[in-house]
Amino acid sequence: MTLTGHRTHTVVDSPVGPLTLVAVDGTLSGLYMRRQRHRPPEETFGVPDPEPFTEVATQLRAYFDGRLTSFDLPMVFAGTPFQRQVWTALRDIPYGATISYAQLAARIGRPTASRAVGLANGKNPIGIIVPCHRVIGSTGDLTGYGGGLPTKRHLLAFEAGTLGTALF
């Protein structure tokens, strides 16, 4: 599914670096880190406008301040039906918890699709809010993350309450 409509974006600061927020017709459709693997081209983000992102920025601040463990925001996803199913399931992983790609595949009723789940996870367009960082390898290893493994480590340590020093 491709999203059409009026696109806007803004950039907010965070402990993991600048985050580019993108909206289509005022609804959050993207949260991208500066060095994100599947970051769309800048020209697709639309015009700069912080207005649609007031609540997103407020909830992100509360999350990074340790006062919010679950986001409550309207979102719209551009992707295949399978990708959207994976991204929706990611939202059910509790704050501070991790699951494996195989467990996530089983949760969506596709127990043999852990590789496909990993690929969909890596293309999550709304990082942090849709917590793809909470998915790890079956051995407990941190495997791939669109925002880079240091960012994934940082987010997991932050949520586990074991964060030492700031990442950036």
Side-chain angles (χ1 to χ4, degrees):
M1 175 172 110
T2 302
L3 298 177
T4 58
H6 179 67
R7 291 179 173 268
T8 56
H9 77 280
T10 195
V11 178
V12 297
D13 290 325
S14 84
V16 295
L19 303 174
T20 301
L21 307 175
V22 179
V24 174
D25 293 331
T27 302
L28 183 66
S29 65
L31 183 155
Y32 303 104
M33 295 168 218
R34 179 179 290 158
R35 293 180 295 271
Q36 188 156 336
R37 184 178 323 133
H38 297 287
R39 182 182 170 104
E42 300 276 332
E43 60 269 13
T44 66
F45 293 161
V47 297
D49 181 4
E51 179 66 29
F53 306 102
T54 303
E55 184 59 24
V56 178
T58 297
Q59 288 191 33
L60 282 167
R61 264 190 311 280
Y63 169 80
F64 284 116
D65 287 346
R67 297 179 289 113
L68 182 77
T69 60
S70 180
F71 292 91
D72 183 21
L73 297 164
M75 293 177 259
V76 61
F77 297 107
T80 68
F82 178 78
Q83 287 172 328
R84 291 193 315 269
Q85 181 183 25
V86 170
W87 301 333
T88 299
L90 290 170
R91 297 182 71 195
D92 293 331
I93 305 169
Y95 180 91
T98 58
I99 66 170
S100 70
Y101 295 97
Q103 289 170 313
L104 184 56
R107 280 189 184 186
I108 65 167
R110 304 280 299 270
T112 61
S114 48
R115 268 183 212 256
V117 163
L119 291 172
N121 195 58
K123 291 189 176 182
N124 172 18
I126 306 177
I128 301 171
I129 292 171
V130 176
C132 54
H133 60 277
R134 297 179 187 155
V135 184
I136 60 174
S138 58
T139 62
D141 291 340
L142 300 187
T143 58
Y145 183 62
L149 285 179
T151 301
K152 184 172 187 164
R153 275 188 209 95
H154 178 87
L155 291 169
L156 291 174
F158 168 73
E159 289 185 6
T162 59
L163 187 61
T165 58
L167 179 63
F168 297 101

